Amino acid sequence: MTSATHGLRIGARPTTPSTLHLDAVAREAERLAGAAPPISSPHVGAPPELRAALAAAVDDLASALGGLSAHLFALAEPGFAEVKSAAAIVETLEARGLRSELDVYGLPTAFVAELPAAPAASGAPDASDASGPTIALLAEYDALPGVGHACGHNLIAAASVGAFLALAEARRQNPASVPGRVLLIGTPAEEGGNGKELLARAGAFDDVDIAVMAHPFGADLADPVFIGRRIVRIVYHGVAAHAAAAPFQGRNALDAAALNYQAVGLLRQHLPPGDRIHGVFVDGGARPNVVPERAELEYYVRSHEISTLRELSARVDDIANGIALATGTGVEVTWDPQPFSLPIRHNGPLAERWALAQAERGRRVLRAADAPGAQAASTDFGNISQRVPGIHPVIAIAPPEIALHTREFAEYAGSPTSIESVTDAAYGLAATVADALLDADLLAAVRDDFAAAGGPVDVERTFA
Ligand SMILES: [Zn+2]
Ligand SMILES: [Zn+2]
């Protein structure tokens, strides 16, 4: 069905968004990447023999990890329903003699596997003293409804499993080579559930010193920006009335919601750069001839800092309340119907070690500051990174113009060519873990960096 307006034919199809901005960003990215200095680390990290053992182990695992990744991709189970996916990972570990516990910390599709602290090489009586920190590798394996593994979490799982198996193999070959305790934690429902926050509240990270994972992307970045996100539901309560016969007897909840949407839209001009608010109408009444007595909006409110997210939340509250006053409606504002995400705090010394390990695999990793095209996504890893030192680098599996959560990205995540990114990420994670386990100076620098960034945050009560 089309209509004619001043000679223009307007059809049902939308116009196509321009790529001019993306093109300009791509040109600037290329220019900056060419000028960016390579990332280095002042620390020595794990010795060459261990690095070689980890690299060999990862390469031996390539077909098993590729098989696991492909299997998870085909399952494409959404958050909290990753039953077969979690079972497949546990089976992969068991096939190599590594036990794990499924259904932990209150989440049926979460699991934990452990390489316990190795007895100290010196034979010290108290192994726990000499055995170093506890480091957790995190595995995501949830998919998105409709578009499957369009965020590539099948690759995240395969990479962290690969790193864990490689560290286990290195220790099997030489028990003294990998001191400390390494956990592999299966973390459900990153998408739409913030499973890591649920796990953390249940104690999964209480004795974890460092947490690491890697995410597939369209570029190799050591410290990609992921911003904080809260969800807010706003319900206006009005008074129903006949919209034609007695509108003066009504209070219009939809009018209130429409004003709210406009006011939040106007607020957007004045947000800190890169912050985001985006919303939908969930309920706007049922029939035109009834003044709507209920209307509901849902927004995602995102900001780069915890402090600015708190401030922005207060402005959204003020808008909701002010409009209730203006329209004579009642209002209910519900924040965080599921756990919020905090911005990622990347640990500098660990991010540098990741970049060096990727250089060993032939990948050139950039700092986010040298890569324009700011990301404005959010992840529940942010909450972990505010509790303990951690990294969440991204690894290129697709060209830069292919965005996460698209069918195109899913194609890359499911392609056999993605196995190289899995083995590279597995090596990078294993080497970074080994670096932190074996290099006391690095570990001290990791802790100093975390303390300098403010130390641990009481995440659960951030917005209380
Ligand atoms: Zn995602
Ligand atoms: Zn993701």
Side-chain angles (χ1 to χ4, degrees):
M1 182 98 182
T2 60
S3 61
T5 307
H6 300 296
L8 293 172
R9 289 187 64 80
I10 309 297
R13 288 169 182 265
T15 60
T16 305
S18 163
T19 63
L20 289 175
H21 171 70
L22 290 180
D23 297 344
V25 167
R27 285 194 299 275
E28 180 64 0
E30 209 173 307
R31 190 186 71 76
L32 280 175
I39 297 175
S40 62
S41 163
H43 301 283
V44 292
E49 317 81 68
L50 178 55
R51 307 184 90 77
L54 293 173
V58 159
D59 291 334
D60 284 349
L61 286 163
S63 75
L65 298 177
L68 176 63
S69 168
H71 185 50
L72 298 176
F73 184 85
L75 289 170
E77 294 171 302
F80 299 124
E82 316 96 325
V83 177
K84 291 177 181 163
S85 304
I89 296 169
V90 166
E91 278 166 29
T92 302
L93 297 171
E94 270 169 10
R96 284 165 178 77
L98 294 166
R99 291 197 37 232
S100 40
E101 200 179 337
L102 195 58
D103 187 5
V104 289
Y105 300 106
L107 294 185
T109 55
F111 68 86
V112 178
E114 176 177 348
L115 292 182
S122 62
D126 183 359
S128 62
D129 260 11
S131 57
T134 294
I135 304 186
L137 293 153
L138 308 189
E140 296 173 6
Y141 32 88
D142 59 321
L144 290 153
V147 285
H149 273 294
C151 211
H153 294 184
N154 57 313
L155 306 176
I156 296 177
S160 287
V161 166
F164 187 73
L165 291 175
L167 288 160
E169 175 59 19
R171 181 181 282 181
R172 194 189 63 76
Q173 291 171 8
N174 176 0
S177 69
V178 183
R181 179 168 171 249
V182 182
L183 303 177
L184 173 65
I185 305 181
T187 64
E190 188 279 327
E191 306 283 1
N194 278 13
K196 290 183 196 63
E197 179 61 22
L198 300 176
L199 291 175
R201 290 182 185 182
F205 294 90
D206 284 358
D207 57 356
V208 168
D209 298 292
I210 290 172
V212 299
M213 61 174 289
H215 197 296
F217 196 60
D220 285 288
L221 301 175
D223 55 353
V225 174
F226 281 79
I227 67 180
R229 186 198 74 179
R230 302 184 73 189
I231 298 174
V232 60
R233 289 185 186 150
I234 300 172
V235 177
Y236 283 103
H237 296 285
V239 177
H242 194 296
F248 38 83
Q249 293 296 95
R251 291 283 184 270
N252 194 320
L254 177 59
D255 284 357
L259 281 172
N260 184 292
Y261 193 76
Q262 298 297 327
V264 167
L266 295 176
L267 173 64
R268 284 196 270 209
Q269 185 184 359
H270 307 289
L271 299 182
D275 284 8
R276 301 276 193 273
I277 304 185
H278 33 107
V280 292
F281 286 86
V282 176
D283 178 14
R287 291 198 169 193
N289 64 354
V290 181
V291 171
E293 67 175 350
R294 186 184 188 282
E296 179 174 352
L297 294 150
E298 180 171 301
Y299 292 103
Y300 286 5
V301 179
R302 305 191 198 236
S303 193
H304 279 70
E305 306 289 337
I306 294 174
S307 58
T308 54
L309 185 52
R310 190 179 285 123
E311 187 177 51
L312 187 52
S313 304
R315 298 203 71 181
V316 171
D317 274 330
D318 286 349
I319 287 173
N321 292 327
I323 285 165
L325 181 66
T327 55
T329 53
V331 65
E332 282 180 280
V333 181
T334 306
W335 286 96
D336 311 315
Q338 67 180 45
F340 48 79
S341 308
L342 297 183
I344 290 187
R345 182 199 291 181
H346 289 281
N347 188 271
L350 285 178
E352 290 166 356
R353 298 307 307 177
W354 162 269
L356 287 186
Q358 290 305 287
E360 291 171 43
R361 306 292 287 190
R363 285 180 183 262
R364 180 154 181 261
V365 178
L366 295 177
R367 292 182 193 281
D370 293 321
Q375 277 298 296
S378 309
T379 168
D380 58 6
F381 183 82
N383 301 24
I384 305 307
S385 74
Q386 301 286 351
R387 285 179 167 90
V388 296
I391 52 167
H392 181 288
V394 289
I395 183 163
I397 69 156
E401 68 274 13
I402 305 292
L404 298 176
H405 292 200
T406 60
R407 290 186 196 284
E408 292 75 18
F409 196 86
E411 267 178 47
Y412 283 94
S415 155
T417 59
S418 65
I419 185 55
E420 202 175 305
S421 68
V422 168
T423 49
D424 288 350
Y427 175 74
L429 292 171
T432 304
V433 169
D435 288 341
L437 290 175
L438 285 151
D439 182 339
D441 285 344
L442 170 64
L443 184 59
V446 166
R447 289 178 163 150
D448 286 350
D449 186 88
F450 188 71
V457 166
D458 182 356
V459 172
E460 198 170 341
R461 299 179 357 142
T462 306
F463 302 108

